[in-house]
Amino acid sequence: ALDRAYAAEALATSKVGDLEELMIPENFRVDIPEEYSNLPVLRGRAEVEFTLKKDGGEDFDIEGTLYDKVVLTMVIDGYNSPITGGNFVDLVNKGFYNKMKIQRSDGFVVQTGDPEGPADGYIPSGQSSPRTIPLEIMVNGDSGPMWSSTTEEDMRGSAATVLPFQAYGALGMARTEFEDDSASSQFFWLLFDSDLTPAGKNLLDGQYACFGYTINNEDLLKGVSEGDYIESARVISGLDLVERR
């Protein structure tokens, strides 16, 4: 019964997302500040697929059911997180996450994106330091995202965000605690628990950028551990919506 409930919830979420997209004006466009003109921007929604495996060919044992791989489908929301979404889709398309290991799995989040070596983010060809992106949060009622500031710093600590961390498999950009604009390539899937992370009353909404949701097999994230690896990551749709300036 629970499996059927999860399936119905996923279908309903997908339908709501489709309806929301139909309601967006055809000429809708977020104006990106000139200071971020070197970053890729997602002008709409994209879908990506991650395939995770275990070293040595072992199976994922998830509540007694064995899976030889975990295949996750995620929707990336460029309407509300155009820079964060564009950065992520660009990295997926470049193959940045392929063969990368899961670096954190603690029952709260599953996290990856830290490349081998001293750098803690993606370094573009010909450059010596990681490409970083601004903290990007869309607050309900605003006409565009807020950049480089948390809602608390903006004196709106209780403001509701358009993309809240209120779903299992919600996608968030990792950053250093005291630097708003330090995100680069590290991201996490939230293992949502309504008791620990109630929407609007947790330490994530308004503090970290949520840029999408896992819409297929999100429940399998509970079986992913540190040391598992991303066999492949690919853009299913929406690559044509990534604007590189």
Side-chain angles (χ1 to χ4, degrees):
L2 191 57
D3 288 342
R4 291 196 298 272
Y6 282 141
E9 181 183 31
L11 179 61
T13 301
S14 176
K15 295 299 183 183
V16 170
D18 292 342
L19 289 173
E20 287 177 340
E21 194 158 16
L22 288 173
M23 294 169 64
I24 295 173
E26 186 175 345
N27 61 348
F28 177 82
R29 186 180 180 87
V30 172
D31 291 328
I32 305 298
E34 184 61 31
E35 62 190 291
Y36 308 133
S37 62
N38 62 317
L39 299 171
V41 174
L42 178 61
R43 298 294 187 181
R45 285 183 177 151
E47 286 193 11
V48 301
E49 180 185 86
F50 275 55
T51 299
L52 280 59
K53 284 196 169 184
K54 286 186 174 293
D55 274 334
E58 297 178 18
D59 289 333
F60 292 89
D61 185 345
I62 302 173
E63 297 181 342
T65 301
L66 300 180
Y67 299 84
D68 63 343
K69 59 186 175 182
V70 168
V71 181
L72 306 167
T73 305
M74 295 100 80
V75 170
I76 313 304
D77 191 338
Y79 292 116
N80 297 294
S81 294
I83 294 177
T84 312
N87 176 72
F88 184 73
V89 173
D90 180 59
L91 291 176
V92 171
N93 185 57
K94 291 179 184 298
F96 177 82
Y97 297 108
N98 292 342
K99 312 306 178 187
M100 187 171 287
K101 289 185 179 295
I102 299 299
Q103 294 141 1
R104 176 183 174 187
S105 181
D106 55 10
F108 180 59
V109 299
V110 172
Q111 184 168 318
T112 188
D114 185 1
E116 293 185 3
D120 56 7
Y122 165 68
I123 300 179
S125 177
Q127 298 189 22
S128 58
S129 58
R131 179 176 79 188
T132 57
I133 60 174
L135 176 61
E136 181 175 53
I137 297 170
M138 179 74 91
V139 174
N140 276 338
D142 287 0
S143 60
M146 175 176 63
W147 289 288
S148 302
S149 177
T150 67
T151 52
E152 185 176 5
E153 292 166 345
D154 198 49
M155 307 300 290
R156 297 191 292 173
S158 61
T161 57
V162 176
L163 298 178
F165 286 98
Q166 64 173 20
Y168 203 91
L171 297 166
M173 285 302 296
R175 63 176 179 85
T176 58
E177 183 177 0
F178 301 110
E179 294 183 54
D180 293 343
D181 297 346
S182 56
S184 177
S185 57
Q186 296 186 49
F187 76 97
F188 58 86
W189 290 273
L190 176 66
L191 305 183
F192 176 72
D193 183 319
S194 59
D195 292 331
L196 296 176
T197 52
K201 297 180 181 179
N202 58 65
L203 298 177
L204 296 177
D205 288 340
Q207 306 296 312
Y208 291 83
C210 180
F211 60 96
Y213 299 96
T214 307
I215 61 170
N216 187 44
N217 288 334
E218 64 275 10
D219 54 310
L220 301 186
L221 283 164
K222 65 171 68 80
V224 176
S225 305
E226 288 184 27
D228 297 342
Y229 70 97
I230 301 166
E231 181 186 49
S232 64
R234 67 187 184 96
V235 182
I236 299 175
S237 64
L239 184 59
D240 59 317
L241 300 177
V242 176
E243 181 181 278
R244 300 173 180 82
R245 297 179 294 166

Short mmCIF file of all heavy atoms in Angstrom, two decimals, residues 101-137:
data_model
loop_
_atom_site.label_atom_id
_atom_site.label_comp_id
_atom_site.label_asym_id
_atom_site.label_seq_id
_atom_site.Cartn_x
_atom_site.Cartn_y
_atom_site.Cartn_z
N LYS A 101 32.51 9.22 -6.85
CA LYS A 101 31.97 8.48 -5.72
C LYS A 101 31.02 9.35 -4.89
O LYS A 101 31.11 10.58 -4.90
CB LYS A 101 33.12 7.98 -4.83
CG LYS A 101 33.95 6.86 -5.44
CD LYS A 101 34.97 6.33 -4.47
CE LYS A 101 35.79 5.20 -5.06
NZ LYS A 101 34.95 4.01 -5.35
N ILE A 102 30.13 8.66 -4.21
CA ILE A 102 29.30 9.32 -3.20
C ILE A 102 30.19 9.61 -2.00
O ILE A 102 30.87 8.72 -1.48
CB ILE A 102 28.12 8.44 -2.79
CG1 ILE A 102 27.22 8.15 -4.00
CG2 ILE A 102 27.33 9.09 -1.66
CD1 ILE A 102 26.62 9.38 -4.65
N GLN A 103 30.22 10.85 -1.56
CA GLN A 103 31.18 11.27 -0.54
C GLN A 103 30.56 11.48 0.84
O GLN A 103 31.28 11.64 1.84
CB GLN A 103 31.86 12.56 -1.02
CG GLN A 103 32.71 12.30 -2.26
CD GLN A 103 32.64 13.42 -3.29
OE1 GLN A 103 31.97 14.43 -3.10
NE2 GLN A 103 33.33 13.23 -4.41
N ARG A 104 29.24 11.45 0.90
CA ARG A 104 28.57 11.58 2.19
C ARG A 104 27.21 10.90 2.11
O ARG A 104 26.46 11.10 1.16
CB ARG A 104 28.40 13.05 2.57
CG ARG A 104 27.62 13.30 3.86
CD ARG A 104 27.42 14.79 4.13
NE ARG A 104 26.57 15.04 5.27
CZ ARG A 104 26.13 16.25 5.64
NH1 ARG A 104 26.50 17.32 4.94
NH2 ARG A 104 25.34 16.39 6.69
N SER A 105 26.91 10.11 3.12
CA SER A 105 25.58 9.50 3.24
C SER A 105 25.36 9.22 4.72
O SER A 105 25.88 8.24 5.25
CB SER A 105 25.49 8.21 2.42
OG SER A 105 24.20 7.63 2.52
N ASP A 106 24.62 10.12 5.35
CA ASP A 106 24.53 10.07 6.82
C ASP A 106 23.10 9.97 7.34
O ASP A 106 22.86 10.20 8.53
CB ASP A 106 25.22 11.30 7.41
CG ASP A 106 24.66 12.61 6.86
OD1 ASP A 106 23.62 12.57 6.16
OD2 ASP A 106 25.25 13.67 7.13
N GLY A 107 22.17 9.63 6.46
CA GLY A 107 20.78 9.56 6.88
C GLY A 107 20.05 10.88 6.75
O GLY A 107 18.82 10.93 6.86
N PHE A 108 20.79 11.97 6.51
CA PHE A 108 20.21 13.29 6.31
C PHE A 108 20.30 13.70 4.84
O PHE A 108 19.33 14.18 4.25
CB PHE A 108 20.91 14.32 7.20
CG PHE A 108 20.37 15.71 7.07
CD1 PHE A 108 19.04 16.00 7.32
CD2 PHE A 108 21.22 16.75 6.69
CE1 PHE A 108 18.55 17.30 7.19
CE2 PHE A 108 20.75 18.05 6.57
CZ PHE A 108 19.40 18.33 6.82
N VAL A 109 21.50 13.52 4.26
CA VAL A 109 21.71 13.82 2.85
C VAL A 109 22.59 12.74 2.22
O VAL A 109 23.32 12.03 2.92
CB VAL A 109 22.38 15.20 2.62
CG1 VAL A 109 21.52 16.32 3.18
CG2 VAL A 109 23.78 15.23 3.21
N VAL A 110 22.53 12.65 0.90
CA VAL A 110 23.48 11.90 0.09
C VAL A 110 24.18 12.95 -0.76
O VAL A 110 23.51 13.70 -1.49
CB VAL A 110 22.79 10.85 -0.79
CG1 VAL A 110 23.79 10.24 -1.77
CG2 VAL A 110 22.15 9.76 0.06
N GLN A 111 25.50 13.05 -0.65
CA GLN A 111 26.22 14.16 -1.27
C GLN A 111 27.38 13.68 -2.11
O GLN A 111 28.05 12.69 -1.79
CB GLN A 111 26.72 15.12 -0.19
CG GLN A 111 27.41 16.38 -0.73
CD GLN A 111 27.63 17.42 0.35
OE1 GLN A 111 26.75 17.66 1.19
NE2 GLN A 111 28.80 18.05 0.34
N THR A 112 27.65 14.43 -3.20
CA THR A 112 28.78 14.16 -4.07
C THR A 112 29.17 15.47 -4.77
O THR A 112 28.63 16.53 -4.48
CB THR A 112 28.43 13.07 -5.10
OG1 THR A 112 29.62 12.70 -5.82
CG2 THR A 112 27.37 13.53 -6.08
N GLY A 113 30.15 15.39 -5.67
CA GLY A 113 30.53 16.57 -6.45
C GLY A 113 31.89 17.16 -6.13
O GLY A 113 32.30 18.14 -6.74
N ASP A 114 32.60 16.56 -5.15
CA ASP A 114 33.94 17.05 -4.80
C ASP A 114 34.95 16.26 -5.61
O ASP A 114 35.17 15.07 -5.35
CB ASP A 114 34.18 16.87 -3.31
CG ASP A 114 35.51 17.47 -2.84
OD1 ASP A 114 36.22 18.06 -3.68
OD2 ASP A 114 35.82 17.35 -1.65
N PRO A 115 35.61 16.87 -6.60
CA PRO A 115 36.53 16.11 -7.45
C PRO A 115 37.80 15.72 -6.70
O PRO A 115 38.13 16.29 -5.65
CB PRO A 115 36.85 17.10 -8.58
CG PRO A 115 36.68 18.45 -7.94
CD PRO A 115 35.55 18.29 -6.96
N GLU A 116 38.52 14.75 -7.23
CA GLU A 116 39.80 14.36 -6.64
C GLU A 116 40.80 15.49 -6.78
O GLU A 116 40.75 16.28 -7.73
CB GLU A 116 40.33 13.10 -7.32
CG GLU A 116 39.49 11.85 -7.05
CD GLU A 116 40.12 10.61 -7.65
OE1 GLU A 116 41.23 10.71 -8.21
OE2 GLU A 116 39.49 9.53 -7.55
N GLY A 117 41.71 15.58 -5.85
CA GLY A 117 42.71 16.64 -5.88
C GLY A 117 42.39 17.73 -4.88
O GLY A 117 41.41 17.66 -4.14
N PRO A 118 43.21 18.78 -4.84
CA PRO A 118 43.05 19.83 -3.84
C PRO A 118 41.83 20.72 -4.06
O PRO A 118 41.32 21.31 -3.12
CB PRO A 118 44.36 20.63 -3.96
CG PRO A 118 44.82 20.39 -5.37
CD PRO A 118 44.42 18.98 -5.68
N ALA A 119 41.37 20.86 -5.31
CA ALA A 119 40.22 21.73 -5.59
C ALA A 119 38.95 21.10 -5.05
O ALA A 119 38.79 19.87 -5.09
CB ALA A 119 40.11 21.98 -7.08
N ASP A 120 38.04 21.92 -4.56
CA ASP A 120 36.79 21.40 -4.03
C ASP A 120 35.60 21.70 -4.95
O ASP A 120 34.45 21.67 -4.53
CB ASP A 120 36.51 21.96 -2.63
CG ASP A 120 36.50 23.48 -2.59
OD1 ASP A 120 36.57 24.10 -3.66
OD2 ASP A 120 36.41 24.04 -1.48
N GLY A 121 35.92 22.01 -6.22
CA GLY A 121 34.86 22.29 -7.18
C GLY A 121 35.36 22.13 -8.60
O GLY A 121 36.50 21.71 -8.84
N TYR A 122 34.49 22.49 -9.54
CA TYR A 122 34.81 22.36 -10.98
C TYR A 122 35.71 23.50 -11.44
O TYR A 122 35.40 24.67 -11.24
CB TYR A 122 33.51 22.36 -11.78
CG TYR A 122 33.71 22.60 -13.26
CD1 TYR A 122 34.34 21.64 -14.06
CD2 TYR A 122 33.29 23.78 -13.85
CE1 TYR A 122 34.54 21.86 -15.41
CE2 TYR A 122 33.48 24.01 -15.21
CZ TYR A 122 34.11 23.04 -15.99
OH TYR A 122 34.31 23.27 -17.32
N ILE A 123 36.84 23.14 -12.04
CA ILE A 123 37.77 24.13 -12.60
C ILE A 123 37.66 24.10 -14.12
O ILE A 123 38.01 23.10 -14.75
CB ILE A 123 39.22 23.85 -12.17
CG1 ILE A 123 39.34 23.89 -10.65
CG2 ILE A 123 40.17 24.86 -12.81
CD1 ILE A 123 40.75 23.61 -10.14
N PRO A 124 37.17 25.17 -14.73
CA PRO A 124 37.07 25.21 -16.19
C PRO A 124 38.44 25.11 -16.85
O PRO A 124 39.46 25.50 -16.26
CB PRO A 124 36.43 26.58 -16.47
CG PRO A 124 35.75 26.94 -15.19
CD PRO A 124 36.62 26.38 -14.11
N SER A 125 38.46 24.60 -18.05
CA SER A 125 39.71 24.47 -18.80
C SER A 125 40.38 25.84 -18.96
O SER A 125 39.72 26.83 -19.28
CB SER A 125 39.42 23.88 -20.19
OG SER A 125 40.59 23.81 -20.96
N GLY A 126 41.66 25.89 -18.69
CA GLY A 126 42.42 27.12 -18.83
C GLY A 126 42.38 28.02 -17.61
O GLY A 126 42.99 29.09 -17.62
N GLN A 127 41.68 27.60 -16.55
CA GLN A 127 41.62 28.40 -15.35
C GLN A 127 42.28 27.65 -14.19
O GLN A 127 42.48 26.44 -14.25
CB GLN A 127 40.17 28.76 -15.01
CG GLN A 127 39.50 29.61 -16.09
CD GLN A 127 38.14 30.15 -15.67
OE1 GLN A 127 37.85 30.24 -14.48
NE2 GLN A 127 37.32 30.52 -16.64
N SER A 128 42.58 28.37 -13.13
CA SER A 128 43.30 27.78 -12.00
C SER A 128 42.46 27.64 -10.74
O SER A 128 42.91 27.03 -9.76
CB SER A 128 44.55 28.61 -11.69
OG SER A 128 44.18 29.95 -11.39
N SER A 129 41.28 28.21 -10.75
CA SER A 129 40.43 28.14 -9.56
C SER A 129 39.02 27.68 -9.94
O SER A 129 38.61 27.82 -11.10
CB SER A 129 40.36 29.51 -8.87
OG SER A 129 39.87 30.50 -9.76
N PRO A 130 38.28 27.13 -8.99
CA PRO A 130 36.95 26.61 -9.30
C PRO A 130 35.97 27.69 -9.75
O PRO A 130 36.06 28.85 -9.32
CB PRO A 130 36.49 26.00 -7.96
CG PRO A 130 37.76 25.70 -7.23
CD PRO A 130 38.69 26.80 -7.61
N ARG A 131 35.06 27.27 -10.61
CA ARG A 131 33.94 28.14 -10.99
C ARG A 131 32.92 28.11 -9.85
O ARG A 131 32.45 27.04 -9.45
CB ARG A 131 33.29 27.64 -12.28
CG ARG A 131 32.09 28.47 -12.74
CD ARG A 131 31.56 27.98 -14.07
NE ARG A 131 30.71 26.79 -13.94
CZ ARG A 131 30.26 26.09 -14.99
NH1 ARG A 131 30.61 26.43 -16.22
NH2 ARG A 131 29.48 25.04 -14.80
N THR A 132 32.60 29.24 -9.30
CA THR A 132 31.62 29.31 -8.23
C THR A 132 30.38 30.04 -8.71
O THR A 132 30.43 30.84 -9.65
CB THR A 132 32.19 30.01 -6.98
OG1 THR A 132 32.64 31.32 -7.33
CG2 THR A 132 33.35 29.21 -6.40
N ILE A 133 29.27 29.77 -8.02
CA ILE A 133 28.01 30.41 -8.37
C ILE A 133 27.43 31.09 -7.14
O ILE A 133 27.71 30.70 -6.02
CB ILE A 133 27.01 29.39 -8.95
CG1 ILE A 133 26.71 28.28 -7.93
CG2 ILE A 133 27.53 28.80 -10.25
CD1 ILE A 133 25.63 27.31 -8.36
N PRO A 134 26.59 32.09 -7.35
CA PRO A 134 26.01 32.79 -6.20
C PRO A 134 24.90 31.97 -5.55
O PRO A 134 24.24 31.16 -6.21
CB PRO A 134 25.44 34.07 -6.82
CG PRO A 134 25.08 33.66 -8.22
CD PRO A 134 26.17 32.70 -8.63
N LEU A 135 24.72 32.16 -4.26
CA LEU A 135 23.55 31.59 -3.59
C LEU A 135 22.31 32.18 -4.27
O LEU A 135 22.22 33.40 -4.45
CB LEU A 135 23.58 31.95 -2.11
CG LEU A 135 22.37 31.51 -1.28
CD1 LEU A 135 22.21 29.99 -1.31
CD2 LEU A 135 22.50 32.01 0.15
N GLU A 136 21.37 31.33 -4.63
CA GLU A 136 20.23 31.76 -5.45
C GLU A 136 18.94 31.20 -4.83
O GLU A 136 18.75 29.99 -4.78
CB GLU A 136 20.41 31.24 -6.87
CG GLU A 136 19.33 31.62 -7.85
CD GLU A 136 19.68 31.14 -9.25
OE1 GLU A 136 19.98 29.94 -9.42
OE2 GLU A 136 19.64 31.96 -10.18
N ILE A 137 18.08 32.09 -4.36
CA ILE A 137 16.86 31.67 -3.68
C ILE A 137 15.68 32.49 -4.19
O ILE A 137 15.72 33.73 -4.20
CB ILE A 137 16.98 31.85 -2.16
CG1 ILE A 137 18.09 30.94 -1.61
CG2 ILE A 137 15.66 31.54 -1.46
CD1 ILE A 137 18.46 31.21 -0.17
#
